[in-house]
Amino acid sequence: MPPEQLHQMVNWLNQQIGYLTKSIKEARQSNNYGRELHYEGMRDAFMIFLIKYVNTNGEKEKS
């Protein structure tokens, strides 16, 4: 993946993580625990992907 495209993807993931973190806080304040749990799952999945993808520099892990 070209560096510019990787940078755009990382920026998008970071924006989504920020949005979801804010949404989790709002769901918690309104006692909407189902939505909170859903957003936490999405946020965690984005974070795990981001960590794995960036650590491999966009290359598929070798088997």
Side-chain angles (χ1 to χ4, degrees), residues 5-40:
Q5 195 174 13
L6 177 62
H7 182 68
Q8 289 174 351
M9 185 176 69
V10 168
N11 282 341
W12 182 82
L13 286 167
N14 281 324
Q15 288 174 350
Q16 294 303 307
I17 291 168
Y19 168 77
L20 289 166
T21 299
K22 179 183 173 199
S23 297
I24 290 165
K25 181 180 178 183
E26 291 172 357
R28 189 174 296 137
Q29 289 173 345
S30 65
N31 297 324
N32 191 337
Y33 302 115
R35 186 170 298 243
E36 177 186 356
L37 184 62
H38 177 75
Y39 287 154
E40 284 176 346

